[in-house]
Amino acid sequence: MKKGFTLVELLAIVVVLGILGMVGTAIYSNVQKKARNKLYEEQVETIKNAVRTYITENEGKTLIINGNSVKIDLFSGAKKIEIPMSTFISEGVFDKYPVNPNCSKDMTGIIVIDVKSDGSYDLIYNMSNTEETFCKV
């Protein structure tokens, strides 16, 4: 009797290894996607924290955005203030644009300060068109 594997046995081993490789690749890809999404959420929170600090330190300041005067005023009633990320770069809040980890594009969107009538506010980051087009968040 000869020692060794038959062609069918070798083929079965190759098929099993292929299936294990596909499952492993799918799991790895899913873990990477979750990690990028978590990193994106942390990036947005970092941006919001920096903007909160800026708002606190510059309450009442008037900014010129696209030729319009926009006053950072949290106590004059409900409104929405839209400030592009480029303004925060020029004001020194950020040295450079943060990068979206999902697509490696600069986060060049708009921060919306949604001011409530009681003076509280929510911060919302809206992606730029380029970022939305190339990033799947």
Side-chain angles (χ1 to χ4, degrees):
M1 190 174 227
K2 291 185 176 182
K3 294 181 180 181
F5 295 104
T6 65
L7 188 57
V8 173
E9 291 170 329
L10 288 173
L11 184 60
I13 291 170
V14 168
V15 168
V16 168
L17 289 174
I19 291 171
L20 287 173
M22 288 182 352
V23 169
T25 301
I27 290 171
Y28 178 74
S29 176
N30 193 26
V31 167
Q32 278 190 319
K33 183 178 179 182
K34 284 181 181 179
R36 280 191 303 269
N37 285 338
K38 181 67 177 167
L39 187 57
Y40 172 78
E41 291 170 11
E42 290 174 2
Q43 186 83 321
V44 170
E45 277 306 308
T46 301
I47 291 168
K48 288 180 179 180
N49 287 336
V51 170
R52 278 187 192 97
T53 301
Y54 178 80
I55 290 170
T56 302
E57 293 173 354
N58 294 284
E59 170 67 31
K61 182 176 183 175
T62 301
L63 301 172
I64 304 298
I65 300 172
N66 298 329
N68 299 319
S69 295
V70 176
K71 186 173 184 179
I72 300 176
D73 185 6
L74 303 179
F75 301 106
S76 63
K79 63 182 165 200
K80 290 190 180 195
I81 305 168
E82 295 184 356
I83 305 175
M85 286 293 289
S86 59
T87 302
F88 294 112
I89 300 288
S90 63
E91 288 287 315
V93 177
F94 304 107
D95 295 335
K96 59 183 181 175
Y97 287 104
V99 175
N100 188 328
N102 288 306
C103 60
S104 301
K105 294 285 180 190
D106 286 345
M107 296 177 75
T108 58
I110 295 173
I111 295 289
V112 178
I113 306 169
D114 186 8
V115 181
K116 312 295 183 202
S117 57
D118 63 357
S120 65
Y121 62 91
D122 293 323
L123 293 175
I124 303 156
Y125 173 73
N126 291 333
M127 290 184 181
S128 63
N129 288 336
T130 305
E131 200 180 347
E132 270 184 275
T133 301
F134 293 104
C135 295
K136 306 292 182 209
V137 178

